[in-house]
Each structure stands twice: as C-alpha cells, then as structure tokens.
Amino acid sequence: NISLYRRLSSGGRVLAGLADADTIFALSSGHGRCGVAVVRISGSAAATALRCMVGLGNQLPPPRTALLRSITDPHSKEVLDRGLVLWFPAPHSFTGEDSVEFHIHGGPAVITAVLQALGSVPGMRPADAGEFTRRAFHAGKLDLTEVEGLGDLIHAETEAQRRQALRQMSGELGRLYQDWSHRLKRTLAHVEAFIDFSEDELIEEGVLDQVDISVCDLQAEIKQHLKDERRGERLRSGIHVVIAGATNAGKSQRPAAIVSPIAGTTRDVVESALDIGGFPVLLSDTAGLRDSPDLVEQEGVRRARERVQQADLTLLVVDSTILPSGEQEAAALLLEHLRSVLSSQDQPGAGRCLLVLNKVDLLPEAHREKLNLGLRRVSGLPPVCLISCQTNEGLKDFLTVLQSNIKTMCGDPLSGAPTLTQARHRAHLQQCVAALAQYRRYRDSDLALAAEGVRLALTSLGRITGRVGAEEILDIIFKDFCIGK
Amino acid sequence: MLMKKLPPVQSVLFLVSRRASQLSRQRYDVIVVGGGHAGTEAAAAAARIGAETLLVTQKIQTIGALSCNPSLGGVGKGHLVREVDALDGLCGRAGDWAGINFSVLNRSKGPAVWGPRAQLDRQRYREFIQIQLFYLQAELLSTPRLTLLEGSVEELLVSDPNPAEPGRHRVTGIRLANSSQLISASSVVLTTGTFLSGSLFVGRTASPGGRMGDAPFMNTHTRCKPEEQLPCYLTYTTPGVERVVRESLHLNCHIQQDAKGPRYCPSIESRVLRFPGRSHQVWLEPEGLTSDLLYPQGLSMTMPPDVQLRLIREIPPLHRVEIHTPGYGVQYDYVCPTQLSPALQVKNTQGLFLAGQINGTTGYEEAAAQDHQQGPLLDGSQTTTPNEESYIGVLVDDLVSRGVTEPYRMFTSRAEFRTSLRPDNADLRLTMKGFELGCVSAVRHHEAVRVNCSLQNAIAALQALTMSSTSWRKKLLGISMSENKNQTLSGMDLLQYKDVSFEMLASVFPECLSPYMEFSQRLKIEAVYKPHYDQNKSEIKRIQREENMSLPQDVDYFTLPVSLSQEVREILDRFRPTTLGAATRLEGMTPAAIANLFKYVNLIRRQESTMSGKQMDHEEEGGEEPCKRNASLPQ
C-alpha cells in the first residue's frame, strides 16, 4: 500500500547541514602526550595533500595499506616526521569521501607542524567538532544510534563505557529498535487496512485480534526494556554516588577534600569524577546534615538533601564513636538516622545506600567486633562497612563492597539485552508505550483514535533510529563530538 | 412523473448550447475540455469564481452521466465529496438530490473515518448536474459566465518557449475539429479521462442487507424521503461462479494481459483466483426510482457476454437474470502527474491544467476533488489547499509528488492528520477559505459562519460548566467515571466519556445548552477529538514550515553543486518536488540528501535576500536629498 509507505516513511525531516565541499583535517587521536598521533584528512583534496606532503613519485599508494614514509612540508620541503601513511579512496572510508591518515609521533611540536603544513594546502581547513562523523552519517555510513554510539566512544573515559559504546555502534541497539519499528509498521498496516477495507470485505477476519496481540507484546517488551533502572544511562553519564551524613562524621576524608576539624566546613557540594573498577562514578561530597542557624550552611544542607534525593547510591557516613555499645540500640539509632537522611526515600533499600561507620580506630577492639558482626544480622539495614580514614583500616573491604554495588547498578555491558544509553531514547520509548496505551484505550470506542495511537508510537520509535524527525537531535549529537572524529 | 416535475432539461441544454460558429466571443478566461465529473466541476468552479468559461464536450447529453456504479461516497471517498461540497462544488448537492439510499459506512469505527455514501438514481443525478450548468450559462444571469459547446478539440495552442525562461510555454487556446477557427483562452483544463464503465445485471433478493433510512448525505436536506428510499440487497458468489471463471480463462483478455489494475477494486476473476474456495459479497444496487435495473457491485468482469450470463446465473437468486449491459474492462493512458505543479498545472506550460482520470486517478470523487484544487488557480491566484487541511490536498500532493503506479483511489490512511480531517468538520476547514477565493456562494458562506459561531459558543458554554466529579455523578446518574472524587471537570471533559451525550448535558443545563441542540452530534465529536487536535497542531506547524521552503523548478539536479548521490539526483530529477516537504516524502530520499537540500535552499534564500538588500542600498544611494540624512548613521 503506497499510502502506508508514505505515512511510514515520511520520515527524514530537515537536518542541519554543513559545507561538504571543503576538505577537512584534524588530529583524531586524543590531545596531550601520546606515543602515536593520528591525523585524519577527508574530502576531495585529500589525494592532493597526500601527494604534496609525501614522496610517492606522483603515484597514490595502494588503498588501505600502511606505508612508512617521510612527511614533508609542501612549501619548504622540510621533513616534519617519518610515519605511517594510509590512503582510503571513496567510498570505502569512514566518511565515504577520499580520506588519508597520517600516523605520526605524538610530540606536540610534530603534531603542530603537520597540522600547520596541512592548513597551507589549498582547499583544506581544520574540521569542526563532529564533522567527520556528520559526513559519515550523511554518506549513509551510520544510522543515528551508531552515530551516538560513536560519540560515546570518543567520550568513553573508562573501559566499561567503551565496551557499551562499541556494542551500540555495531548496531545491536539499532537492530532491536528496528525490529520493533518493523513490527509496529506491520501492526499499523493491519489497523489501517481494517479501517479502509473491512467494508469491502477485502481483508481477513480477525485482523484486529492480531493487532491487539502485537500491541500488547510490543508494549510489554518496551516496558521491560525501560525497566533497566537507568543502567545504560548510568554507565554513560556516570553513577551518582553521594556522601552524606551528620556534621563531622568524616565524610570528606575519603576523596581528599579540603577540610578543617571545625564542624560544618563543607558548605556546598563538592564533585569529582572517579573510575571505580572500570565504571565512571560522579562522587558528590555534601554538607553535614544538621539544623544550623547559619544561612549559608542551611543552603548547603538543602543542596545536600537534594543531592541525596537524586543519588543512585548514598554513602551514609556515621561517626562510630557516637554509637551505643549494644548492637540493638546501635541498629535502632542507625535506622533512625537513615530515615532522617534519606527523608522521603520510602525504603532505605539495600542497593541504594551503604552505611559507612568511620573513626573505628577510636573504638575498643571488642566493641568494633560486636558492631561488625551484630549489625550484619539486623534486617532492614543496608550493608555496613567499618573504616577508619585515619588508619585506612577496612578501606579495602569498603571499596570491594562499593565496586560490586556499582557493577550491579550498571549491569555488565557485555551481557543481556542492550541497555538504554541515552536519556533521549528513554523519553521516546516512554512516549511509544504511552501511545500504544492510547490504542488500547480507544480500541473499542473509536478506531480512528486507536490507530492514531499506533501512528504516534511509530513516530516516537522512529525518532530514535533516525528515520523520523531527526533534525532536533542531530545538532545536539554533533555538538557532543570533539574535533577529529 | 419525473419529467413532469422538471423542465425537459436536455432539450433546454441543446437550445442554449452553441455551435462553434455561433460563439459570442473568441476569447475566454478558461476553456474546459471534457464534460465528465472533473470537467463539470472545473467549469462550474471557474464560473463561480467569475471567469468567462467555455466547456467543450463531445456529447452534451451525457454531461453528468454516472458511467460506473450508481453510487457516490464511501470510506475516504465520502471525505472528498464532503470537501467538494464545502467548497460549494456540484457532486455533493447532486448526491443529495439524486440519492435513493443513504448510509454511513464504518459507523462503528469512529467519526474521523465515517464514510458517507449515497446510492444514486442515475437519471436524477444527470438532471441535477445539467440544471446547475444550465443555470450558470442561462441568459437570465446578468452576466452569463458559462458557455457549453458540443464538439471535439483537435489542437491545443501553445506559444513558443519564452527565451527568458527556456522550456517555458504558455497555453493560448484551442482549435476545434473540422474548423479552422481558433478560440483563445488564458487557461485550458484538460479533463479527458477515460470512463471506466461498469456492467449491469438484474437479479432477485438473496439476503436483505438493507441500509435504509440512515442520516442525510451531505447537507440537511435530501430529496428522497426516508420512506421512498430503495434498499440494496446482499448476496454471495457460489462455487459455480468460480468454476465458470476457471473454465473461461482462455477467453479472458483481462487475465491474460498484464495491465496494472486496481488492487482494491478487483474483478470477480481476480478475486476468485486470489481467494479460491470462498464466497464473495455481491451487492445488488438499484439504478434508480424508475428503473428496474440492478447494479451488481462486486461482479465486475471482462469475459464474453455469454459467459457473463452463465456466471451470474450461478448465483441462486439470479438464476433467471438477464444482462442489460455486459461488464467490460478499460485500459487507458494517463499523464504521469509528477509533471504537474501542486495546482495541477503542467510544469513547463503555463495555463495548462489537467484534472481527473487523465492524472491516473479512479472514481468520480477523486475526479471531482481535483478541480477544487485548481479552481482557484484558474483565476491566477496561487493558493492551493494544503494537505494538512484537506483530503483534496492529500490527493493532489500524492499525485504530484509521488506519481501513480496503479489507479489512484483515496483511503483514509493516506491522510497524515486523519483525526483532524473529518467529514463532519469539512465546512469549518474549507468553506470560509473557499469564500475568500470566490468559489463559495454567499448563502453557503453565511451558513458556515453561523455554524462556526454556534459551535464556538457551545464549546465555551460547555467549558464554563465546571463541577467536581462527585457533583457530576449526582447530576448524571449511572455514569461511570474513573476520575478522583474531587477533580473538577468541565462539560467538555464530560462529553469525552463514551456514555455521555450532549442531550444528557442539555437536559441537566437546559438554559445554557438547549440553544445548541442541532449541533449535538458535532459537539460530541469535537469534545472527543479535541485533545488529539491539540496534539497535532505543533506537528502541522512544523510541516507547514517545511512546505514553505520551495525548491527551484528549473534546476538541473545532475549538475547541482550539492552533495547528492546519483540515485537521489535521479529521483529529484524525475519527481521535481516543489517544496522541501514534498522532497522528504519521496521514496528513496535519504536524510543526508534532505540535509544538503535544506542547506542549498537556505543558501539560495540568503543570496536572494542579500541581492534584494543590495538593490535597496542602491536605491538609497541614487535617492533624493532626504536620504542623505541616513549617511550619518553608524555603518
């Protein structure tokens, strides 16, 4: 049916374009000191640049073969470096255009010299942020989920992030969404057929029953996919771990923050990005939670509470010296403390919080043992770690517990169904589920409105795979890229 | 009886129709060639707008003839008839006049996809169309605007290409057959589509699937009273029918040829071959109040007449049937409509318009609708009906931007904004715009304004009625509401509930709602669809933005300095989309190509605006003394 195709494919809306006539170049490997640096060139003048900077005797090298050559300045003929040269003729390159790569030594002087020499070749200019990927996308080399996967890859600062980015780039997530999209198209086609043709007796009986089933299935599958508790997104943007507790319990001692022994020193939230066991962690240190007449401190406490609300994991630090010696009494006090800190958190769930009892070096040995063993038996308490930031006692065990918690929350990026990595994906999938609910709501009273639900669901899904309404996302994606890729 | 009530229309038409030599003038604003559904609508619309119009047709007697089945409307098609009617076209009113059985198809599927349908009396339909044209050409109008001419057109007169715009021709008029006389015109509309004629059979009731006494068709008044309406009957094919089809395959050129037939209106041969072992519906439709012929809807076929008789007699209630006119298939040429602008004007010839089956469509409704796209254009204005506002716009956009690969029929699934383009609100969408363009009478316009005001007032009154859900429950007993106890709901919210009707609300609040009782059904529909309309609005705006980005029409896509793949260049060259929006809907377009086109269009726009800016600078420089005061402004 042509009409359905039109409806389904009236996708690819306006995208923001850039001048593709120029040949662009950039340092594609990271900035800073490194052994080898990769400079990439893409565009019609790439071959010219290769000829005039590398002695090749007017011949282009065989495609996709590394050659060791001297790289010279095209004007002064001065040798800049000796490195590997690769030639990727169009369309078999990353961007789909003629491309050249120079693998040169990583010193800043060499890199600067090569980039300057390239800039002096006519028709060449430095690439804008994300321009290589944009060209690859425009050449049809990548679909949108792949582009986003690549953006994450460039941003991947840790190993686990890199693995998930690779998975997405290979299109696994894209394939999952394409499959849903394919099934939705079929479902929609069935509803439309029923509306337009059932009076003519040209369609089979029971078409709508099939639609009901597949809408139900899709809804369940997408909901299940959404139920990953933000694992993919956490992995992408880092897990928010918040250190909270009463004033002077020793919260700030773990990430070396500047503190003084006067209670209430940390007045605002201090953040730092850490790599814990290969997972990105955004650690926030907060002001001590107490009622204070100091207005600045009150604001700090307010922000601390807000942070705790948003946290993926809260480390509640308690000064172990204030705990009563009896384990029951200690547990009761800790529970009450938990409730007050996590305030509106309905349940201080085990995965959401770790109890860190600090300053255990100040406790008598017997008391310490009692707490350690006793508190583990109390139900309703999150995992308890006894540490001393002064003597580093218990710190290793604490890190192991923390790491295993983080791993659970992120999921193993190499197993199971692909998880969501973009908040944008989540929003569109939620719209999709809601639209499918519209089908079910109107199924019996108004089939036109029910069909509209399926149409909306397809549109929402299409926004993820880049087949529909891509313009608004593209700008954001490409802005996310650093120069060179 | 019938002929006594009405003046002998055909003879009147003969009297006032001209021979070429008697034409009062040699120059017209518009010449319409062809007197079928497209041609009559085009001529009438042009005359309503005020253009001096000449309708040339081979046989004036057959103007308004229903060449296929005697019915109008249906799912999708009914939407088109409503819209033509909202623009004061002929076919809706003709349907009201000639209808002998009115029904609404898809009644159980929601008002957005209801399909108003009328069974027609062939003779009455023709009478009505002819009377309308007679009225427009009658001398009793102070300025007769329509002239009918019997004859055939031999030659289309076209100017040499304009040297300033290579390839641009202009239509200048026509030359009639057997005549050296030239008739000039600024616009010529070709509606020479081939009639897809049906076949007629007589039969007896099998099972009465009556569709009697349903709602009026297009307007509030229909000529046929409910008790006068004739029923349609439903029967089914038998294994005998299938046997006859299989035995006669070698005699059947329909099956042997590979011409592309419509998949949605299959002949009995293809139905039997595609779905063997099944019985298929056959509707026995009356041909008119005074006719004893029946039209067997669902039995179109192309085999020899004796086989047709054998086949139809295999259906038990039709054992003793005789065939009045055997069925036949029609194969015809069409003009690929991608060569047309959205006004249905041939792209390289100004003033030449095509409408109807010549553009690859099928059906009366599709033909009639096309003229209400171009009607306004005949006047030289460039306004068209956009596809987010009407099915007419969807139809034309599909034709000119995608072309056709099989006879084109309207479906509701073709409309992207289906829940907004409903049959019930066609008047609100189109009548006021049509009036501005001049093709809608003052009477119709006045009525549309009245309806619009009343609906707005009624909606305001409903929105002003707010109460807690508890209070509503007390007022309307037996209504199940899912809302929380203390949620405040308006009358408009309540009306969204399946069980709540406007009548119920009006009985509770008679003082403020009873004035709107005549609109009770429309108000109910408005209430149910309003949330979805609000949702659609932003999307419609976005599309309008893209539709407003026009692509140059005379560009060579093969040398365009824009990064486009060869396939995309070929697609663009073949379809020549007029806007970026139309380009995005082409099959095979890639997002990258759209992005690059977008960039290109923006570049042209910038260049144009800087050029016009320079001109202004220039004017200022060459301007008179007062301009010099501007020179002191900081640059």
Side-chain angles (χ1 to χ4, degrees):
Chain A
N1 185 326
I2 299 179
S3 61
L4 287 181
Y5 184 86
R6 168 198 140 110
R7 165 73 206 170
L8 303 176
S9 67
S10 68
R13 294 290 183 198
V14 183
L15 314 162
L18 249 193
D20 285 356
D22 297 341
T23 298
I24 52 171
F25 65 89
L27 175 67
S28 289
S29 51
H31 290 267
R33 252 167 226 293
C34 47
V36 175
V38 177
V39 173
R40 194 178 243 179
I41 306 157
S42 175
S44 51
T48 316
L50 185 58
R51 279 207 192 90
C52 67
M53 289 180 66
V54 178
L56 292 162
N58 220 15
Q59 285 254 309
L60 284 171
R64 300 176 294 283
T65 308
L67 298 177
L68 183 63
R69 286 289 184 276
S70 290
I71 297 164
T72 57
D73 185 291
H75 302 288
S76 67
K77 303 294 172 197
E78 178 196 351
V79 175
L80 304 172
D81 194 11
R82 196 167 162 75
L84 293 181
V85 174
L86 287 115
W87 162 238
F88 304 92
H92 304 292
S93 69
F94 173 68
T95 55
E97 304 172 322
D98 282 349
S99 297
V100 168
E101 278 181 19
F102 293 155
H103 295 208
I104 53 178
H105 290 99
V110 173
I111 295 171
T112 311
V114 170
L115 292 179
Q116 274 177 358
L118 280 170
S120 71
V121 176
M124 306 268 289
R125 65 168 172 82
D128 290 334
E131 206 176 348
F132 282 91
T133 313
R134 193 200 310 252
R135 289 186 178 200
F137 176 71
H138 285 182
K141 294 272 177 184
L142 302 165
D143 81 7
L144 265 185
T145 46
E146 286 173 327
V147 174
E148 283 175 61
L150 197 63
D152 288 346
L153 183 63
I154 296 162
H155 282 177
E157 284 165 15
T158 67
E159 187 59 20
Q161 263 179 327
R162 194 185 62 77
R163 270 180 287 170
Q164 191 178 33
L166 274 175
R167 260 162 69 93
Q168 194 180 359
M169 214 172 89
S170 70
E172 195 162 335
L173 200 56
R175 271 197 296 280
L176 180 71
Y177 296 157
Q178 290 297 346
D179 172 57
W180 284 339
S181 169
H182 181 71
R183 282 159 60 192
L184 258 180
K185 280 182 200 175
R186 273 181 60 90
T187 306
L188 178 59
H190 284 172
V191 186
E192 299 284 9
F194 187 76
I195 288 175
D196 275 332
F197 299 111
S198 65
E199 296 270 352
D200 293 355
E201 200 220 16
L202 290 177
I203 56 161
E204 304 288 322
E205 292 289 315
V207 155
L208 276 196
D209 298 337
Q210 280 177 30
V211 168
D212 293 347
I213 293 167
S214 72
V215 164
C216 232
D217 287 353
L218 278 164
Q219 216 181 354
E221 278 174 50
I222 299 172
K223 268 187 181 164
Q224 187 58 42
H225 183 65
L226 280 167
K227 248 197 226 150
D228 71 343
E229 294 172 328
R230 291 185 56 246
R231 272 188 306 188
E233 276 169 80
R234 275 185 195 143
L235 188 54
R236 180 166 181 274
S237 55
I239 297 179
H240 294 256
V241 176
V242 173
I243 303 178
T247 35
N248 239 5
K251 302 179 295 296
S252 306
Q253 283 175 350
R254 197 37 237 143
I258 304 152
V259 286
S260 68
I262 306 157
T265 312
T266 309
R267 295 197 163 179
D268 199 354
V269 177
V270 179
E271 275 186 353
S272 52
L274 299 175
D275 175 347
I276 297 180
F279 296 97
V281 170
L282 190 68
L283 190 67
S284 311
D285 186 18
T286 61
L289 302 169
R290 66 166 182 186
D291 297 323
S292 165
D294 182 344
L295 281 178
V296 180
E297 196 177 336
Q298 275 178 24
E299 175 60 17
V301 170
R302 194 192 62 76
R303 290 190 193 177
R305 289 199 183 277
E306 197 176 88
R307 229 14 109 91
V308 171
Q309 294 288 312
Q310 297 162 354
D312 293 318
L313 178 65
T314 305
L315 303 179
L316 183 57
V317 184
V318 180
D319 183 348
S320 61
T321 56
I322 61 161
L323 289 175
S325 55
E327 58 197 58
Q328 292 301 329
E329 292 83 359
L333 188 80
L334 285 171
L335 273 173
E336 195 196 316
H337 192 49
L338 266 175
R339 263 192 293 276
S340 86
V341 172
L342 303 175
S343 52
S344 66
Q345 299 291 328
D346 32 2
Q347 189 73 37
R352 301 267 309 147
C353 184
L354 287 183
L355 260 178
V356 183
L357 306 187
N358 193 16
K359 305 185 185 176
V360 288
D361 56 310
L362 301 178
L363 293 181
E365 187 71 31
H367 188 181
R368 218 187 292 179
E369 277 306 303
K370 212 167 148 190
L371 276 180
N372 196 8
L373 294 172
L375 289 178
R376 278 169 212 265
R377 287 198 299 266
V378 180
S379 68
L381 264 191
V384 179
C385 298
L386 277 69
I387 64 164
S388 162
C389 292
Q390 204 68 43
T391 63
N392 284 351
E393 190 186 337
L395 213 57
K396 210 176 154 196
D397 291 344
F398 163 68
L399 277 177
T400 313
V401 173
L402 181 61
Q403 198 172 315
S404 79
N405 264 276
I406 288 169
K407 199 168 172 180
T408 318
M409 292 168 80
C410 288
D412 184 347
L414 286 184
S415 67
T419 46
L420 292 156
T421 47
Q422 303 270 342
R424 184 176 72 74
H425 288 185
R426 178 173 297 278
H428 290 313
L429 289 177
Q430 279 163 344
Q431 282 168 11
C432 183
V433 171
L436 290 175
Q438 178 177 331
Y439 170 82
R440 297 172 71 173
R441 188 163 63 248
Y442 287 105
R443 158 73 164 82
D444 296 319
S445 61
D446 190 317
L447 204 58
L449 289 176
E452 192 71 11
V454 185
R455 287 180 170 196
L456 285 172
L458 188 58
T459 311
S460 308
L461 199 57
R463 283 189 210 283
I464 297 177
T465 47
R467 307 288 183 230
V468 186
E471 77 279 19
E472 69 268 39
I473 339 148
L474 267 183
D475 286 339
I476 305 165
I477 295 166
F478 291 126
K479 270 183 214 137
D480 261 352
F481 283 82
C482 60
I483 291 182
K485 264 285 181 175
Chain B
M1 268 296 282
L2 193 64
M3 298 311 287
K4 276 182 197 163
K5 274 188 202 160
L6 290 162
V9 179
Q10 285 154 30
S11 54
V12 173
L13 282 173
F14 274 121
L15 281 177
V16 293
S17 69
R18 302 295 199 279
R19 290 208 198 96
S21 57
Q22 296 172 341
L23 285 176
S24 57
R25 43 202 301 149
Q26 295 308 311
R27 177 165 181 84
Y28 290 86
D29 296 327
V30 178
I31 295 175
V32 179
V33 182
H37 294 272
T40 49
E41 293 282 356
R48 286 203 303 276
I49 285 168
E52 282 293 344
T53 308
L54 176 70
L55 174 64
V56 186
T57 180
Q58 293 197 323
K59 227 175 168 187
I60 284 181
Q61 207 178 347
T62 60
I63 283 180
L66 295 163
S67 43
C68 191
N69 55 322
S71 71
L72 193 68
V75 180
K77 288 167 171 276
H79 289 71
L80 286 174
V81 179
R82 277 252 184 226
E83 291 181 357
V84 170
D85 188 59
L87 290 167
D88 219 359
L90 302 179
C91 68
R93 285 180 286 144
D96 282 337
W97 174 265
I100 51 172
N101 182 305
F102 301 99
S103 59
V104 175
L105 306 188
N106 265 354
R107 181 62 105 174
S108 63
K109 293 175 198 157
V113 294
W114 284 354
R117 180 187 186 278
Q119 195 64 45
L120 302 174
D121 182 310
R122 284 186 194 273
Q123 203 177 331
R124 283 189 174 186
Y125 191 87
R126 202 171 60 198
E127 280 164 22
F128 184 87
I129 298 286
Q130 295 191 354
I131 287 173
Q132 291 296 313
L133 296 185
F134 165 61
Y135 174 73
L136 284 168
Q137 68 157 2
E139 306 286 348
L140 41 130
L141 282 177
S142 53
T143 50
R145 300 198 207 98
L146 178 64
T147 309
L148 299 182
L149 175 66
E150 200 168 70
S152 52
V153 175
E154 180 95 350
E155 193 184 343
L156 190 65
L157 306 175
V158 175
S159 71
D160 289 334
N162 181 351
E165 288 177 277
R168 278 289 176 129
H169 302 262
R170 183 156 225 325
V171 82
T172 57
I174 56 164
R175 187 174 65 77
L176 295 171
N178 309 319
S179 160
S180 59
Q181 194 186 347
L182 307 179
I183 308 171
S184 60
S186 39
S187 298
V188 172
V189 187
L190 297 183
T191 65
T192 57
T194 311
F195 300 124
L196 279 164
S197 276
S199 48
L200 305 173
F201 302 87
V202 190
R204 223 190 63 212
T205 317
S207 62
R211 295 171 166 186
M212 290 262 308
D214 217 320
F217 186 44
M218 289 298 137
N219 294 295
T220 44
H221 303 294
T222 52
R223 183 169 168 217
C224 199
K225 295 191 192 80
E227 62 273 19
E228 291 171 358
Q229 292 193 15
L230 293 180
C232 298
Y233 295 100
L234 178 62
T235 182
Y236 292 91
T237 60
T238 58
V241 170
E242 192 171 329
R243 200 183 59 243
V244 174
V245 169
R246 291 190 185 282
E247 283 168 11
S248 64
L249 279 184
H250 62 290
L251 299 170
N252 198 333
C253 64
H254 167 80
I255 296 301
Q256 286 164 359
Q257 283 179 357
D258 59 352
K260 270 207 171 163
R263 283 170 296 176
Y264 37 77
C265 180
S267 61
I268 190 64
E269 295 98 308
S270 21
R271 290 172 115 190
V272 157
L273 295 175
R274 258 180 71 195
F275 303 103
R278 259 177 66 166
S279 66
H280 302 275
Q281 278 187 2
V282 177
W283 282 101
L284 302 177
E285 303 178 349
E287 287 266 304
L289 289 176
T290 54
S291 168
D292 56 358
L293 299 179
L294 286 175
Y295 182 91
Q297 176 75 35
L299 275 188
S300 58
M301 52 186 150
T302 60
M303 52 200 66
D306 58 315
V307 182
Q308 291 195 18
L309 187 63
R310 209 148 50 84
L311 182 145
I312 198 163
R313 285 184 170 172
E314 289 289 341
I315 298 172
L318 306 178
H319 276 328
R320 288 183 295 152
V321 83
E322 292 296 337
I323 292 182
H324 179 272
T325 314
Y328 58 94
V330 174
Q331 191 175 334
Y332 63 100
D333 292 341
Y334 68 96
V335 174
C336 184
T338 55
Q339 302 169 68
L340 305 178
S341 75
L344 298 180
Q345 180 174 232
V346 177
K347 278 178 186 168
N348 68 0
T349 311
Q350 280 182 22
L352 180 60
F353 297 87
L354 307 183
Q357 277 181 304
I358 190 172
N359 291 338
T361 61
T362 165
Y364 312 141
E365 302 84 354
E366 285 82 356
Q370 289 174 49
D371 294 294
H372 290 86
Q373 180 74 356
Q374 69 180 162
L377 267 291
L378 302 172
D379 206 23
S381 97
Q382 286 294 311
T383 324
T384 54
T385 318
N387 60 354
E388 63 274 9
E389 277 173 15
S390 68
Y391 275 76
I392 296 176
V394 170
L395 167 79
V396 172
D397 182 61
D398 280 345
L399 289 181
V400 303
S401 59
R402 305 185 59 93
V404 292
T405 51
E406 65 178 322
Y408 182 99
R409 181 185 138 180
M410 182 48 73
F411 308 116
T412 68
S413 53
R414 295 193 194 269
E416 195 156 355
F417 299 104
R418 179 167 58 193
T419 53
S420 302
L421 308 185
R422 302 189 306 270
D424 65 275
N425 65 10
D427 53 346
L428 302 186
R429 288 184 277 124
L430 298 171
T431 303
M432 274 159 281
K433 281 182 189 156
F435 182 71
E436 280 166 31
L437 295 168
C439 67
V440 170
S441 70
V443 180
R444 287 299 287 267
H445 177 245
H446 187 261
E447 174 62 8
V449 169
R450 184 188 75 87
V451 169
N452 190 25
C453 285
S454 305
L455 284 175
Q456 295 308 322
N457 291 341
I459 288 170
L462 281 165
Q463 274 166 343
L465 286 175
T466 53
M467 280 196 290
S468 71
S469 46
T470 320
S471 314
W472 278 114
R473 268 195 207 93
K474 281 182 196 149
K475 293 265 184 195
L476 302 165
L477 295 170
I479 294 303
S480 57
M481 283 193 285
S482 53
E483 264 73 11
N484 298 330
K485 259 186 187 164
N486 292 316
Q487 198 174 343
T488 306
L489 297 171
S490 73
M492 208 59 182
D493 296 328
L494 257 282
L495 207 46
Q496 288 180 32
Y497 283 94
K498 204 179 165 186
D499 311 333
V500 179
S501 68
F502 183 79
E503 287 85 348
M504 291 165 73
L505 296 178
S507 69
V508 182
F509 300 98
E511 62 290 344
C512 59
L513 294 183
S514 58
Y516 309 110
M517 283 306 282
E518 65 170 307
F519 302 110
S520 58
Q521 190 187 43
R522 290 188 70 162
L523 285 165
K524 170 78 185 172
I525 297 174
E526 286 291 336
V528 172
Y529 279 82
K530 193 173 180 306
H532 306 277
Y533 173 72
D534 295 343
Q535 238 174 28
N536 274 350
K537 254 197 313 205
S538 63
E539 186 71 3
I540 290 176
K541 278 211 183 103
R542 187 177 64 74
I543 287 184
Q544 279 168 343
R545 258 201 323 274
E546 285 174 19
E547 293 298 336
N548 284 337
M549 300 192 73
S550 48
L551 293 171
Q553 281 309 290
D554 33 20
V555 65
D556 179 2
Y557 280 109
F558 290 104
T559 57
L560 194 70
V562 172
S563 168
L564 297 170
S565 71
Q566 192 60 25
E567 294 97 304
V568 165
R569 285 178 197 273
E570 277 165 20
I571 292 168
L572 287 170
D573 183 64
R574 182 149 22 106
F575 292 98
R576 303 214 146 257
T578 49
T579 65
L580 198 66
T584 61
R585 289 188 294 275
L586 289 177
E587 217 167 308
M589 286 297 282
T590 61
I594 294 299
N596 289 330
L597 275 180
F598 175 69
K599 186 193 75 187
Y600 172 69
V601 172
N602 269 338
L603 190 76
I604 296 178
R605 278 192 169 179
R606 267 203 302 276
Q607 282 171 352
E608 278 170 0
S609 65
T610 46
M611 267 168 67
S612 58
K614 271 178 195 159
Q615 268 173 354
M616 275 172 59
D617 288 347
H618 185 71
E619 275 167 26
E620 268 180 36
E621 277 169 30
E624 295 295 305
E625 283 296 309
C627 286
K628 286 194 174 166
R629 270 181 291 160
N630 293 336
S632 61
L633 290 172
Q635 296 296 307

